[in-house]
Amino acid sequence: EDQVTQSPEALRLQEGESSSLNCSYTVSGLRGLFWYRQDPGKGPEFLFTLYSAGEEKEKERLKATLTKKESFLHITAPKPEDSATYLCAVQATGGFKTIFGAGTRLFVKA
Amino acid sequence: NAGVTQTPKFQVLKTGQSMTLQCAQDMNHEYMSWYRQDPGMGLRLIHYSVGAGITDQGEVPNGYNVSRSTTEDFPLRLLSAAPSQTSVYFCASQDRGQETQYFGPGTRLLVL
């Protein structure tokens, strides 16, 4: 069964304190792994798609990496405006359905 | 472009009532989906559509109906609301051949 587990559930950082969010996944065949950002009261907003192990993508202070079993979202020198819930999701080959993890709530204090 | 729009933003229902959650997109995307989001759980797929006239069940379809008469619209119908359907509902659209989904702002539903 396809499954996505994110850790930690919540993460509190000081401004400038770098850290990583983890996404462990089990999927029959990976078509793509996605990272989304969700602000309170809003819909998820797309950040990255990763397709194969070893792939990395960056956007401002965020960098996403992928292995055969995990993905990491690295946050370098975070700012308070990075506070949000970060969602990881996978889509299997040959299918349409996207499986989401429960998310990591990130709080960055000034 | 307005993107994906959802109405209403918030709704309170009594057990047994029916209602329709509206979703529209102006990006000419073929694929559309409905998800529900509950505390401590990931987004769960309710129903999806790969084109006008074509719909299929997702992970948690019971108690919900959908139809897709046009490319733009994908309404979600609650047949007889139950407290277990209290949730936040998100509609998403996706272009054929692309994996990126674009989400609406959500509808918060409370069933008493």
PDB file of all heavy atoms in Angstrom, chain A residues 31 34 36 38 41-44 46 49 51 87 91 96-102, chain B residues 31 33 35 37 40-43 45 48 57 90 94 99-101 103-105:
ATOM      1  N   ARG A  31       6.250   7.859  -9.585  1.00  0.00           N
ATOM      2  CA  ARG A  31       6.133   8.752 -10.744  1.00  0.00           C
ATOM      3  C   ARG A  31       6.676  10.124 -10.361  1.00  0.00           C
ATOM      4  O   ARG A  31       7.342  10.784 -11.137  1.00  0.00           O
ATOM      5  CB  ARG A  31       4.684   8.873 -11.197  1.00  0.00           C
ATOM      6  CG  ARG A  31       4.501   9.797 -12.400  1.00  0.00           C
ATOM      7  CD  ARG A  31       3.055   9.898 -12.788  1.00  0.00           C
ATOM      8  NE  ARG A  31       2.879  10.776 -13.959  1.00  0.00           N
ATOM      9  CZ  ARG A  31       1.706  11.182 -14.402  1.00  0.00           C
ATOM     10  NH1 ARG A  31       0.597  10.805 -13.804  1.00  0.00           N
ATOM     11  NH2 ARG A  31       1.629  11.969 -15.457  1.00  0.00           N
ATOM     12  N   PHE A  34       6.190  15.171  -4.388  1.00  0.00           N
ATOM     13  CA  PHE A  34       5.860  16.583  -4.392  1.00  0.00           C
ATOM     14  C   PHE A  34       5.981  17.191  -3.003  1.00  0.00           C
ATOM     15  O   PHE A  34       5.680  16.532  -2.000  1.00  0.00           O
ATOM     16  CB  PHE A  34       4.416  16.785  -4.871  1.00  0.00           C
ATOM     17  CG  PHE A  34       4.078  15.991  -6.096  1.00  0.00           C
ATOM     18  CD1 PHE A  34       3.403  14.793  -5.991  1.00  0.00           C
ATOM     19  CD2 PHE A  34       4.455  16.429  -7.343  1.00  0.00           C
ATOM     20  CE1 PHE A  34       3.085  14.037  -7.112  1.00  0.00           C
ATOM     21  CE2 PHE A  34       4.155  15.677  -8.474  1.00  0.00           C
ATOM     22  CZ  PHE A  34       3.472  14.490  -8.353  1.00  0.00           C
ATOM     23  N   TYR A  36       4.539  20.646  -0.985  1.00  0.00           N
ATOM     24  CA  TYR A  36       3.620  21.770  -1.020  1.00  0.00           C
ATOM     25  C   TYR A  36       3.771  22.554   0.277  1.00  0.00           C
ATOM     26  O   TYR A  36       4.096  21.995   1.328  1.00  0.00           O
ATOM     27  CB  TYR A  36       2.165  21.308  -1.125  1.00  0.00           C
ATOM     28  CG  TYR A  36       1.744  20.792  -2.476  1.00  0.00           C
ATOM     29  CD1 TYR A  36       1.993  19.481  -2.851  1.00  0.00           C
ATOM     30  CD2 TYR A  36       1.071  21.617  -3.376  1.00  0.00           C
ATOM     31  CE1 TYR A  36       1.595  19.000  -4.094  1.00  0.00           C
ATOM     32  CE2 TYR A  36       0.665  21.144  -4.619  1.00  0.00           C
ATOM     33  CZ  TYR A  36       0.929  19.837  -4.965  1.00  0.00           C
ATOM     34  OH  TYR A  36       0.521  19.352  -6.191  1.00  0.00           O
ATOM     35  N   GLN A  38       1.489  25.009   2.858  1.00  0.00           N
ATOM     36  CA  GLN A  38       0.113  25.392   3.157  1.00  0.00           C
ATOM     37  C   GLN A  38       0.097  26.385   4.303  1.00  0.00           C
ATOM     38  O   GLN A  38       0.538  26.082   5.409  1.00  0.00           O
ATOM     39  CB  GLN A  38      -0.742  24.165   3.506  1.00  0.00           C
ATOM     40  CG  GLN A  38      -2.213  24.498   3.685  1.00  0.00           C
ATOM     41  CD  GLN A  38      -3.076  23.284   3.924  1.00  0.00           C
ATOM     42  OE1 GLN A  38      -2.593  22.236   4.359  1.00  0.00           O
ATOM     43  NE2 GLN A  38      -4.363  23.390   3.624  1.00  0.00           N
ATOM     44  N   GLY A  41      -5.635  28.404   6.761  1.00  0.00           N
ATOM     45  CA  GLY A  41      -6.844  28.857   6.088  1.00  0.00           C
ATOM     46  C   GLY A  41      -6.756  28.918   4.582  1.00  0.00           C
ATOM     47  O   GLY A  41      -7.656  29.459   3.933  1.00  0.00           O
ATOM     48  N   LYS A  42      -5.684  28.377   4.019  1.00  0.00           N
ATOM     49  CA  LYS A  42      -5.503  28.425   2.566  1.00  0.00           C
ATOM     50  C   LYS A  42      -5.251  27.036   1.999  1.00  0.00           C
ATOM     51  O   LYS A  42      -4.971  26.083   2.720  1.00  0.00           O
ATOM     52  CB  LYS A  42      -4.350  29.356   2.208  1.00  0.00           C
ATOM     53  CG  LYS A  42      -4.608  30.800   2.604  1.00  0.00           C
ATOM     54  CD  LYS A  42      -3.565  31.717   2.021  1.00  0.00           C
ATOM     55  CE  LYS A  42      -3.881  33.173   2.337  1.00  0.00           C
ATOM     56  NZ  LYS A  42      -2.874  34.104   1.760  1.00  0.00           N
ATOM     57  N   GLY A  43      -5.345  26.930   0.687  1.00  0.00           N
ATOM     58  CA  GLY A  43      -5.047  25.679   0.029  1.00  0.00           C
ATOM     59  C   GLY A  43      -3.549  25.484  -0.151  1.00  0.00           C
ATOM     60  O   GLY A  43      -2.779  26.444  -0.098  1.00  0.00           O
ATOM     61  N   PRO A  44      -3.119  24.226  -0.330  1.00  0.00           N
ATOM     62  CA  PRO A  44      -1.693  23.964  -0.553  1.00  0.00           C
ATOM     63  C   PRO A  44      -1.173  24.669  -1.807  1.00  0.00           C
ATOM     64  O   PRO A  44      -1.892  24.796  -2.800  1.00  0.00           O
ATOM     65  CB  PRO A  44      -1.653  22.445  -0.730  1.00  0.00           C
ATOM     66  CG  PRO A  44      -2.875  21.937  -0.039  1.00  0.00           C
ATOM     67  CD  PRO A  44      -3.908  22.991  -0.265  1.00  0.00           C
ATOM     68  N   PHE A  46       2.054  24.659  -4.526  1.00  0.00           N
ATOM     69  CA  PHE A  46       3.112  23.800  -5.038  1.00  0.00           C
ATOM     70  C   PHE A  46       4.502  24.413  -4.842  1.00  0.00           C
ATOM     71  O   PHE A  46       4.711  25.612  -5.081  1.00  0.00           O
ATOM     72  CB  PHE A  46       2.876  23.540  -6.526  1.00  0.00           C
ATOM     73  CG  PHE A  46       4.009  22.835  -7.211  1.00  0.00           C
ATOM     74  CD1 PHE A  46       4.193  21.475  -7.042  1.00  0.00           C
ATOM     75  CD2 PHE A  46       4.897  23.529  -8.005  1.00  0.00           C
ATOM     76  CE1 PHE A  46       5.235  20.820  -7.678  1.00  0.00           C
ATOM     77  CE2 PHE A  46       5.949  22.887  -8.648  1.00  0.00           C
ATOM     78  CZ  PHE A  46       6.119  21.528  -8.469  1.00  0.00           C
ATOM     79  N   THR A  49       8.663  19.300  -7.520  1.00  0.00           N
ATOM     80  CA  THR A  49       8.461  17.913  -7.903  1.00  0.00           C
ATOM     81  C   THR A  49       9.831  17.265  -8.091  1.00  0.00           C
ATOM     82  O   THR A  49      10.706  17.842  -8.750  1.00  0.00           O
ATOM     83  CB  THR A  49       7.685  17.777  -9.228  1.00  0.00           C
ATOM     84  OG1 THR A  49       6.446  18.456  -9.135  1.00  0.00           O
ATOM     85  CG2 THR A  49       7.419  16.298  -9.532  1.00  0.00           C
ATOM     86  N   TYR A  51      11.678  13.485  -9.237  1.00  0.00           N
ATOM     87  CA  TYR A  51      11.298  12.312  -9.997  1.00  0.00           C
ATOM     88  C   TYR A  51      12.175  11.090  -9.731  1.00  0.00           C
ATOM     89  O   TYR A  51      11.690   9.953  -9.846  1.00  0.00           O
ATOM     90  CB  TYR A  51      11.341  12.621 -11.493  1.00  0.00           C
ATOM     91  CG  TYR A  51      10.343  13.661 -11.928  1.00  0.00           C
ATOM     92  CD1 TYR A  51      10.732  14.979 -12.124  1.00  0.00           C
ATOM     93  CD2 TYR A  51       9.018  13.333 -12.143  1.00  0.00           C
ATOM     94  CE1 TYR A  51       9.820  15.943 -12.528  1.00  0.00           C
ATOM     95  CE2 TYR A  51       8.089  14.288 -12.548  1.00  0.00           C
ATOM     96  CZ  TYR A  51       8.503  15.583 -12.738  1.00  0.00           C
ATOM     97  OH  TYR A  51       7.599  16.531 -13.133  1.00  0.00           O
ATOM     98  N   LEU A  87       3.735  20.026   3.222  1.00  0.00           N
ATOM     99  CA  LEU A  87       3.134  18.732   2.873  1.00  0.00           C
ATOM    100  C   LEU A  87       3.982  18.007   1.845  1.00  0.00           C
ATOM    101  O   LEU A  87       4.463  18.615   0.890  1.00  0.00           O
ATOM    102  CB  LEU A  87       1.731  18.933   2.294  1.00  0.00           C
ATOM    103  CG  LEU A  87       0.717  19.679   3.148  1.00  0.00           C
ATOM    104  CD1 LEU A  87      -0.570  19.919   2.358  1.00  0.00           C
ATOM    105  CD2 LEU A  87       0.415  18.902   4.409  1.00  0.00           C
ATOM    106  N   GLN A  91       3.048  10.234  -6.077  1.00  0.00           N
ATOM    107  CA  GLN A  91       2.154   9.704  -7.090  1.00  0.00           C
ATOM    108  C   GLN A  91       2.844   8.506  -7.712  1.00  0.00           C
ATOM    109  O   GLN A  91       4.021   8.583  -8.089  1.00  0.00           O
ATOM    110  CB  GLN A  91       1.863  10.754  -8.155  1.00  0.00           C
ATOM    111  CG  GLN A  91       0.709  10.416  -9.066  1.00  0.00           C
ATOM    112  CD  GLN A  91       0.374  11.580  -9.990  1.00  0.00           C
ATOM    113  OE1 GLN A  91       1.064  11.829 -10.965  1.00  0.00           O
ATOM    114  NE2 GLN A  91      -0.688  12.309  -9.646  1.00  0.00           N
ATOM    115  N   PHE A  96      -3.258   7.847 -11.092  1.00  0.00           N
ATOM    116  CA  PHE A  96      -3.552   9.274 -10.997  1.00  0.00           C
ATOM    117  C   PHE A  96      -3.518   9.762  -9.553  1.00  0.00           C
ATOM    118  O   PHE A  96      -3.213  10.894  -9.271  1.00  0.00           O
ATOM    119  CB  PHE A  96      -4.932   9.541 -11.596  1.00  0.00           C
ATOM    120  CG  PHE A  96      -5.413  10.940 -11.393  1.00  0.00           C
ATOM    121  CD1 PHE A  96      -5.003  11.942 -12.239  1.00  0.00           C
ATOM    122  CD2 PHE A  96      -6.257  11.246 -10.334  1.00  0.00           C
ATOM    123  CE1 PHE A  96      -5.440  13.245 -12.050  1.00  0.00           C
ATOM    124  CE2 PHE A  96      -6.701  12.545 -10.136  1.00  0.00           C
ATOM    125  CZ  PHE A  96      -6.293  13.550 -10.994  1.00  0.00           C
ATOM    126  N   LYS A  97      -3.823   8.852  -8.636  1.00  0.00           N
ATOM    127  CA  LYS A  97      -4.035   9.258  -7.248  1.00  0.00           C
ATOM    128  C   LYS A  97      -2.744   9.740  -6.612  1.00  0.00           C
ATOM    129  O   LYS A  97      -1.677   9.150  -6.783  1.00  0.00           O
ATOM    130  CB  LYS A  97      -4.614   8.089  -6.460  1.00  0.00           C
ATOM    131  CG  LYS A  97      -5.952   7.625  -6.991  1.00  0.00           C
ATOM    132  CD  LYS A  97      -6.440   6.383  -6.276  1.00  0.00           C
ATOM    133  CE  LYS A  97      -7.724   5.867  -6.950  1.00  0.00           C
ATOM    134  NZ  LYS A  97      -8.224   4.638  -6.301  1.00  0.00           N
ATOM    135  N   THR A  98      -2.851  10.816  -5.851  1.00  0.00           N
ATOM    136  CA  THR A  98      -1.732  11.375  -5.105  1.00  0.00           C
ATOM    137  C   THR A  98      -1.964  11.124  -3.634  1.00  0.00           C
ATOM    138  O   THR A  98      -3.035  11.425  -3.111  1.00  0.00           O
ATOM    139  CB  THR A  98      -1.608  12.880  -5.378  1.00  0.00           C
ATOM    140  OG1 THR A  98      -1.459  13.083  -6.784  1.00  0.00           O
ATOM    141  CG2 THR A  98      -0.409  13.455  -4.650  1.00  0.00           C
ATOM    142  N   ILE A  99      -0.962  10.557  -2.955  1.00  0.00           N
ATOM    143  CA  ILE A  99      -1.051  10.240  -1.534  1.00  0.00           C
ATOM    144  C   ILE A  99      -0.272  11.289  -0.753  1.00  0.00           C
ATOM    145  O   ILE A  99       0.927  11.485  -0.997  1.00  0.00           O
ATOM    146  CB  ILE A  99      -0.479   8.846  -1.223  1.00  0.00           C
ATOM    147  CG1 ILE A  99      -1.111   7.787  -2.141  1.00  0.00           C
ATOM    148  CG2 ILE A  99      -0.692   8.506   0.250  1.00  0.00           C
ATOM    149  CD1 ILE A  99      -2.605   7.667  -1.997  1.00  0.00           C
ATOM    150  N   PHE A 100      -0.949  11.942   0.191  1.00  0.00           N
ATOM    151  CA  PHE A 100      -0.339  13.009   0.976  1.00  0.00           C
ATOM    152  C   PHE A 100       0.043  12.521   2.370  1.00  0.00           C
ATOM    153  O   PHE A 100      -0.660  11.704   2.977  1.00  0.00           O
ATOM    154  CB  PHE A 100      -1.317  14.181   1.129  1.00  0.00           C
ATOM    155  CG  PHE A 100      -1.411  15.059  -0.071  1.00  0.00           C
ATOM    156  CD1 PHE A 100      -2.231  14.720  -1.140  1.00  0.00           C
ATOM    157  CD2 PHE A 100      -0.688  16.238  -0.143  1.00  0.00           C
ATOM    158  CE1 PHE A 100      -2.328  15.529  -2.260  1.00  0.00           C
ATOM    159  CE2 PHE A 100      -0.767  17.057  -1.255  1.00  0.00           C
ATOM    160  CZ  PHE A 100      -1.578  16.701  -2.305  1.00  0.00           C
ATOM    161  N   GLY A 101       1.121  13.070   2.899  1.00  0.00           N
ATOM    162  CA  GLY A 101       1.447  12.911   4.294  1.00  0.00           C
ATOM    163  C   GLY A 101       0.657  13.913   5.123  1.00  0.00           C
ATOM    164  O   GLY A 101      -0.018  14.801   4.585  1.00  0.00           O
ATOM    165  N   ALA A 102       0.744  13.761   6.457  1.00  0.00           N
ATOM    166  CA  ALA A 102      -0.023  14.619   7.361  1.00  0.00           C
ATOM    167  C   ALA A 102       0.588  16.011   7.501  1.00  0.00           C
ATOM    168  O   ALA A 102      -0.065  16.924   8.000  1.00  0.00           O
ATOM    169  CB  ALA A 102      -0.147  13.965   8.729  1.00  0.00           C
TER     170      ALA A 102
ATOM    171  N   TYR B  31      -7.843  17.572 -15.616  1.00  0.00           N
ATOM    172  CA  TYR B  31      -7.995  16.788 -14.399  1.00  0.00           C
ATOM    173  C   TYR B  31      -8.469  17.675 -13.257  1.00  0.00           C
ATOM    174  O   TYR B  31      -7.947  18.768 -13.055  1.00  0.00           O
ATOM    175  CB  TYR B  31      -6.670  16.140 -13.985  1.00  0.00           C
ATOM    176  CG  TYR B  31      -6.056  15.223 -15.003  1.00  0.00           C
ATOM    177  CD1 TYR B  31      -4.713  14.875 -14.900  1.00  0.00           C
ATOM    178  CD2 TYR B  31      -6.779  14.703 -16.063  1.00  0.00           C
ATOM    179  CE1 TYR B  31      -4.120  14.024 -15.816  1.00  0.00           C
ATOM    180  CE2 TYR B  31      -6.192  13.856 -16.981  1.00  0.00           C
ATOM    181  CZ  TYR B  31      -4.872  13.526 -16.860  1.00  0.00           C
ATOM    182  OH  TYR B  31      -4.294  12.679 -17.770  1.00  0.00           O
ATOM    183  N   SER B  33      -9.933  17.273  -8.940  1.00  0.00           N
ATOM    184  CA  SER B  33     -10.038  16.359  -7.796  1.00  0.00           C
ATOM    185  C   SER B  33     -10.683  17.063  -6.617  1.00  0.00           C
ATOM    186  O   SER B  33     -10.590  18.287  -6.500  1.00  0.00           O
ATOM    187  CB  SER B  33      -8.649  15.880  -7.363  1.00  0.00           C
ATOM    188  OG  SER B  33      -7.958  15.251  -8.410  1.00  0.00           O
ATOM    189  N   TYR B  35     -10.559  16.733  -2.364  1.00  0.00           N
ATOM    190  CA  TYR B  35      -9.897  16.180  -1.193  1.00  0.00           C
ATOM    191  C   TYR B  35     -10.604  16.682   0.059  1.00  0.00           C
ATOM    192  O   TYR B  35     -11.205  17.752   0.066  1.00  0.00           O
ATOM    193  CB  TYR B  35      -8.438  16.643  -1.101  1.00  0.00           C
ATOM    194  CG  TYR B  35      -7.514  16.127  -2.168  1.00  0.00           C
ATOM    195  CD1 TYR B  35      -7.367  16.807  -3.373  1.00  0.00           C
ATOM    196  CD2 TYR B  35      -6.754  14.993  -1.969  1.00  0.00           C
ATOM    197  CE1 TYR B  35      -6.499  16.351  -4.351  1.00  0.00           C
ATOM    198  CE2 TYR B  35      -5.871  14.528  -2.932  1.00  0.00           C
ATOM    199  CZ  TYR B  35      -5.755  15.214  -4.120  1.00  0.00           C
ATOM    200  OH  TYR B  35      -4.886  14.762  -5.085  1.00  0.00           O
ATOM    201  N   GLN B  37      -9.497  17.370   4.226  1.00  0.00           N
ATOM    202  CA  GLN B  37      -8.349  17.476   5.122  1.00  0.00           C
ATOM    203  C   GLN B  37      -8.842  17.529   6.555  1.00  0.00           C
ATOM    204  O   GLN B  37      -9.594  18.426   6.934  1.00  0.00           O
ATOM    205  CB  GLN B  37      -7.517  18.726   4.812  1.00  0.00           C
ATOM    206  CG  GLN B  37      -6.223  18.809   5.594  1.00  0.00           C
ATOM    207  CD  GLN B  37      -5.364  19.990   5.156  1.00  0.00           C
ATOM    208  OE1 GLN B  37      -5.860  21.071   4.879  1.00  0.00           O
ATOM    209  NE2 GLN B  37      -4.054  19.776   5.090  1.00  0.00           N
ATOM    210  N   GLY B  40      -4.391  16.178  11.748  1.00  0.00           N
ATOM    211  CA  GLY B  40      -3.506  15.031  11.955  1.00  0.00           C
ATOM    212  C   GLY B  40      -3.471  14.044  10.814  1.00  0.00           C
ATOM    213  O   GLY B  40      -2.774  13.034  10.893  1.00  0.00           O
ATOM    214  N   MET B  41      -4.213  14.341   9.762  1.00  0.00           N
ATOM    215  CA  MET B  41      -4.245  13.435   8.612  1.00  0.00           C
ATOM    216  C   MET B  41      -3.889  14.200   7.354  1.00  0.00           C
ATOM    217  O   MET B  41      -4.082  15.401   7.265  1.00  0.00           O
ATOM    218  CB  MET B  41      -5.632  12.807   8.465  1.00  0.00           C
ATOM    219  CG  MET B  41      -6.097  12.055   9.703  1.00  0.00           C
ATOM    220  SD  MET B  41      -7.667  11.263   9.467  1.00  0.00           S
ATOM    221  CE  MET B  41      -7.196   9.919   8.398  1.00  0.00           C
ATOM    222  N   GLY B  42      -3.371  13.494   6.395  1.00  0.00           N
ATOM    223  CA  GLY B  42      -3.078  14.128   5.121  1.00  0.00           C
ATOM    224  C   GLY B  42      -4.343  14.368   4.321  1.00  0.00           C
ATOM    225  O   GLY B  42      -5.423  13.913   4.688  1.00  0.00           O
ATOM    226  N   LEU B  43      -4.200  15.086   3.248  1.00  0.00           N
ATOM    227  CA  LEU B  43      -5.307  15.238   2.314  1.00  0.00           C
ATOM    228  C   LEU B  43      -5.708  13.870   1.772  1.00  0.00           C
ATOM    229  O   LEU B  43      -4.849  13.094   1.355  1.00  0.00           O
ATOM    230  CB  LEU B  43      -4.883  16.139   1.148  1.00  0.00           C
ATOM    231  CG  LEU B  43      -4.669  17.609   1.478  1.00  0.00           C
ATOM    232  CD1 LEU B  43      -3.754  18.261   0.458  1.00  0.00           C
ATOM    233  CD2 LEU B  43      -6.002  18.316   1.522  1.00  0.00           C
ATOM    234  N   LEU B  45      -8.160  11.767  -0.951  1.00  0.00           N
ATOM    235  CA  LEU B  45      -8.878  11.936  -2.211  1.00  0.00           C
ATOM    236  C   LEU B  45     -10.285  11.355  -2.114  1.00  0.00           C
ATOM    237  O   LEU B  45     -10.470  10.198  -1.743  1.00  0.00           O
ATOM    238  CB  LEU B  45      -8.094  11.250  -3.331  1.00  0.00           C
ATOM    239  CG  LEU B  45      -8.628  11.386  -4.744  1.00  0.00           C
ATOM    240  CD1 LEU B  45      -8.591  12.844  -5.201  1.00  0.00           C
ATOM    241  CD2 LEU B  45      -7.813  10.513  -5.695  1.00  0.00           C
ATOM    242  N   TYR B  48     -12.339  12.031  -8.301  1.00  0.00           N
ATOM    243  CA  TYR B  48     -11.575  12.780  -9.267  1.00  0.00           C
ATOM    244  C   TYR B  48     -12.168  12.613 -10.657  1.00  0.00           C
ATOM    245  O   TYR B  48     -12.997  11.725 -10.895  1.00  0.00           O
ATOM    246  CB  TYR B  48     -10.099  12.389  -9.241  1.00  0.00           C
ATOM    247  CG  TYR B  48      -9.801  10.967  -9.669  1.00  0.00           C
ATOM    248  CD1 TYR B  48      -9.424  10.677 -10.974  1.00  0.00           C
ATOM    249  CD2 TYR B  48      -9.866   9.919  -8.750  1.00  0.00           C
ATOM    250  CE1 TYR B  48      -9.126   9.379 -11.365  1.00  0.00           C
ATOM    251  CE2 TYR B  48      -9.582   8.624  -9.130  1.00  0.00           C
ATOM    252  CZ  TYR B  48      -9.217   8.348 -10.430  1.00  0.00           C
ATOM    253  OH  TYR B  48      -8.929   7.066 -10.801  1.00  0.00           O
ATOM    254  N   GLN B  57     -13.819   7.120  -8.328  1.00  0.00           N
ATOM    255  CA  GLN B  57     -13.731   7.215  -6.880  1.00  0.00           C
ATOM    256  C   GLN B  57     -12.289   7.288  -6.420  1.00  0.00           C
ATOM    257  O   GLN B  57     -11.396   6.683  -7.000  1.00  0.00           O
ATOM    258  CB  GLN B  57     -14.408   5.997  -6.244  1.00  0.00           C
ATOM    259  CG  GLN B  57     -15.893   5.916  -6.509  1.00  0.00           C
ATOM    260  CD  GLN B  57     -16.537   4.730  -5.818  1.00  0.00           C
ATOM    261  OE1 GLN B  57     -15.847   3.886  -5.258  1.00  0.00           O
ATOM    262  NE2 GLN B  57     -17.847   4.666  -5.843  1.00  0.00           N
ATOM    263  N   PHE B  90     -11.008  20.601  -0.193  1.00  0.00           N
ATOM    264  CA  PHE B  90     -10.216  21.292  -1.196  1.00  0.00           C
ATOM    265  C   PHE B  90     -10.469  20.683  -2.571  1.00  0.00           C
ATOM    266  O   PHE B  90     -10.492  19.464  -2.725  1.00  0.00           O
ATOM    267  CB  PHE B  90      -8.723  21.202  -0.886  1.00  0.00           C
ATOM    268  CG  PHE B  90      -8.310  22.020   0.295  1.00  0.00           C
ATOM    269  CD1 PHE B  90      -8.112  21.416   1.532  1.00  0.00           C
ATOM    270  CD2 PHE B  90      -8.106  23.385   0.181  1.00  0.00           C
ATOM    271  CE1 PHE B  90      -7.725  22.161   2.625  1.00  0.00           C
ATOM    272  CE2 PHE B  90      -7.723  24.146   1.272  1.00  0.00           C
ATOM    273  CZ  PHE B  90      -7.535  23.532   2.495  1.00  0.00           C
ATOM    274  N   GLN B  94      -5.455  20.051 -12.484  1.00  0.00           N
ATOM    275  CA  GLN B  94      -4.141  19.607 -12.956  1.00  0.00           C
ATOM    276  C   GLN B  94      -4.199  19.499 -14.470  1.00  0.00           C
ATOM    277  O   GLN B  94      -5.170  18.986 -15.032  1.00  0.00           O
ATOM    278  CB  GLN B  94      -3.829  18.245 -12.334  1.00  0.00           C
ATOM    279  CG  GLN B  94      -2.527  17.608 -12.709  1.00  0.00           C
ATOM    280  CD  GLN B  94      -2.358  16.269 -11.988  1.00  0.00           C
ATOM    281  OE1 GLN B  94      -3.071  15.965 -11.042  1.00  0.00           O
ATOM    282  NE2 GLN B  94      -1.417  15.469 -12.438  1.00  0.00           N
ATOM    283  N   GLU B  99       2.276  17.031 -13.424  1.00  0.00           N
ATOM    284  CA  GLU B  99       1.963  16.466 -12.108  1.00  0.00           C
ATOM    285  C   GLU B  99       1.529  17.514 -11.099  1.00  0.00           C
ATOM    286  O   GLU B  99       0.961  17.195 -10.063  1.00  0.00           O
ATOM    287  CB  GLU B  99       3.167  15.705 -11.540  1.00  0.00           C
ATOM    288  CG  GLU B  99       3.528  14.445 -12.298  1.00  0.00           C
ATOM    289  CD  GLU B  99       4.384  14.730 -13.501  1.00  0.00           C
ATOM    290  OE1 GLU B  99       4.991  15.808 -13.560  1.00  0.00           O
ATOM    291  OE2 GLU B  99       4.437  13.871 -14.403  1.00  0.00           O
ATOM    292  N   THR B 100       1.774  18.758 -11.368  1.00  0.00           N
ATOM    293  CA  THR B 100       1.470  19.823 -10.413  1.00  0.00           C
ATOM    294  C   THR B 100      -0.031  20.018 -10.285  1.00  0.00           C
ATOM    295  O   THR B 100      -0.740  20.178 -11.281  1.00  0.00           O
ATOM    296  CB  THR B 100       2.098  21.150 -10.864  1.00  0.00           C
ATOM    297  OG1 THR B 100       3.498  20.970 -11.022  1.00  0.00           O
ATOM    298  CG2 THR B 100       1.824  22.244  -9.842  1.00  0.00           C
ATOM    299  N   GLN B 101      -0.514  20.000  -9.056  1.00  0.00           N
ATOM    300  CA  GLN B 101      -1.915  20.296  -8.788  1.00  0.00           C
ATOM    301  C   GLN B 101      -2.044  21.718  -8.246  1.00  0.00           C
ATOM    302  O   GLN B 101      -1.225  22.153  -7.447  1.00  0.00           O
ATOM    303  CB  GLN B 101      -2.494  19.307  -7.769  1.00  0.00           C
ATOM    304  CG  GLN B 101      -2.597  17.883  -8.301  1.00  0.00           C
ATOM    305  CD  GLN B 101      -3.377  16.991  -7.373  1.00  0.00           C
ATOM    306  OE1 GLN B 101      -4.598  17.110  -7.231  1.00  0.00           O
ATOM    307  NE2 GLN B 101      -2.681  16.074  -6.730  1.00  0.00           N
ATOM    308  N   PHE B 103      -4.545  24.124  -6.108  1.00  0.00           N
ATOM    309  CA  PHE B 103      -5.625  23.971  -5.145  1.00  0.00           C
ATOM    310  C   PHE B 103      -6.437  25.256  -4.987  1.00  0.00           C
ATOM    311  O   PHE B 103      -5.908  26.362  -5.085  1.00  0.00           O
ATOM    312  CB  PHE B 103      -5.062  23.574  -3.782  1.00  0.00           C
ATOM    313  CG  PHE B 103      -4.618  22.146  -3.712  1.00  0.00           C
ATOM    314  CD1 PHE B 103      -3.359  21.769  -4.151  1.00  0.00           C
ATOM    315  CD2 PHE B 103      -5.466  21.162  -3.211  1.00  0.00           C
ATOM    316  CE1 PHE B 103      -2.941  20.438  -4.095  1.00  0.00           C
ATOM    317  CE2 PHE B 103      -5.058  19.836  -3.152  1.00  0.00           C
ATOM    318  CZ  PHE B 103      -3.798  19.484  -3.598  1.00  0.00           C
ATOM    319  N   GLY B 104      -7.723  25.078  -4.690  1.00  0.00           N
ATOM    320  CA  GLY B 104      -8.570  26.180  -4.318  1.00  0.00           C
ATOM    321  C   GLY B 104      -8.369  26.552  -2.861  1.00  0.00           C
ATOM    322  O   GLY B 104      -7.611  25.892  -2.143  1.00  0.00           O
ATOM    323  N   PRO B 105      -9.066  27.590  -2.394  1.00  0.00           N
ATOM    324  CA  PRO B 105      -8.873  28.070  -1.019  1.00  0.00           C
ATOM    325  C   PRO B 105      -9.576  27.226   0.033  1.00  0.00           C
ATOM    326  O   PRO B 105      -9.333  27.411   1.235  1.00  0.00           O
ATOM    327  CB  PRO B 105      -9.476  29.477  -1.064  1.00  0.00           C
ATOM    328  CG  PRO B 105     -10.500  29.397  -2.143  1.00  0.00           C
ATOM    329  CD  PRO B 105      -9.949  28.453  -3.177  1.00  0.00           C
TER     330      PRO B 105
END
